Amino acid sequence: MHDEAIRFARNNAAHRIIVGGDRLGRGAEPKTLVPLVAAYKRNDVEGMIYYSRVSAPLRKADATALKRETEATRVRFIEVPDGELHGKFLLWDADDVVVTSLNWSSADTRRDAPYAEIGVHLSGPGLANDIAARLEQLLQHAPQKHRDDKPRAARRRRRARHSRRDRDPAERK
């Protein structure tokens, strides 16, 4: 249903489509960028993709290339400080919002587990406008500290700690 939701937004939006999630990955182009560019070409719809970080196998250079490819359209990539955006959403025009567990721009639903991601479509007068305004206001006041500002050694220690925690108890000894 996630694919159907973004296609519905692509086909029915008259003014804007906003996609948000914390990661920008290999799903960005086929799952979000292509529908947003199609909406722009169909009806001059503005598109925005909010994300906090690029996830493998994409690199920052790939994100920059995607941004460059869309310069002639009204589709923009908006990077927000890491940790400020974890919610995943799709909203279009004034009234429609989908809130979900699917990271629209980095993941896909698995064929072997089609119900692993869950979402809800809400529609109400001005609902999407209200959420978009609140989101913009919150992100304007977000601290400008990015993930890259953290010392690499601290990130490595944190990863090692999580790695040890995830291992089987018998392996930890």
Side-chain angles (χ1 to χ4, degrees), residues 41-58:
K41 288 179 179 177
R42 182 187 55 78
N43 202 23
D44 196 34
V45 171
E46 175 186 23
M48 289 178 266
I49 299 173
Y50 284 94
Y51 70 98
S52 295
R53 60 184 149 179
V54 177
S55 63
L58 250 60

Side-chain angles (χ1 to χ4, degrees), residues 27-42:
E29 190 166 9
K31 295 294 181 182
T32 54
L33 183 58
V34 168
L36 269 56
V37 169
Y40 161 75
K41 288 179 179 177
R42 182 187 55 78

Side-chain angles (χ1 to χ4, degrees), residues 88-90 97-101 118-122 131:
K88 290 91 172 164
F89 58 88
L90 165 68
V97 178
V98 173
V99 180
T100 179
S101 61
I118 188 168
V120 61
H121 176 192
L122 305 168
I131 291 173

Side-chain angles (χ1 to χ4, degrees), residues 150-163:
K150 297 176 185 173
R152 287 183 182 182
R155 285 198 308 263
R156 269 186 276 177
R157 282 192 302 272
R158 199 168 31 261
R159 275 192 219 119
R161 191 170 48 244
H162 288 290
S163 174

Side-chain angles (χ1 to χ4, degrees), residues 162-173:
H162 288 290
S163 174
R164 283 192 305 271
R165 202 177 315 151
D166 293 338
R167 279 189 263 166
D168 183 48
E171 290 179 24
R172 283 189 235 157
K173 294 178 181 177

Side-chain angles (χ1 to χ4, degrees), residues 37-134:
V37 169
Y40 161 75
K41 288 179 179 177
R42 182 187 55 78
N43 202 23
D44 196 34
V45 171
E46 175 186 23
M48 289 178 266
I49 299 173
Y50 284 94
Y51 70 98
S52 295
R53 60 184 149 179
V54 177
S55 63
L58 250 60
R59 301 178 324 250
K60 284 246 184 213
D62 298 318
T64 301
L66 286 173
K67 289 177 188 179
R68 221 173 304 136
E69 288 175 24
T70 61
E71 284 176 351
T73 69
R74 292 183 65 205
V75 177
R76 296 180 299 147
F77 287 86
I78 303 165
E79 185 174 3
V80 299
D82 192 21
E84 293 299 318
L85 178 66
H86 182 73
K88 290 91 172 164
F89 58 88
L90 165 68
L91 61 86
W92 64 97
D93 292 339
D95 303 334
D96 290 281
V97 178
V98 173
V99 180
T100 179
S101 61
L102 178 70
N103 224 332
W104 296 93
S105 293
S106 70
D108 196 0
T109 52
R110 295 177 19 208
R111 291 181 192 271
D112 64 331
Y115 302 109
E117 303 290 348
I118 188 168
V120 61
H121 176 192
L122 305 168
S123 186
L127 181 62
N129 281 345
D130 184 54
I131 291 173
R134 289 171 188 252

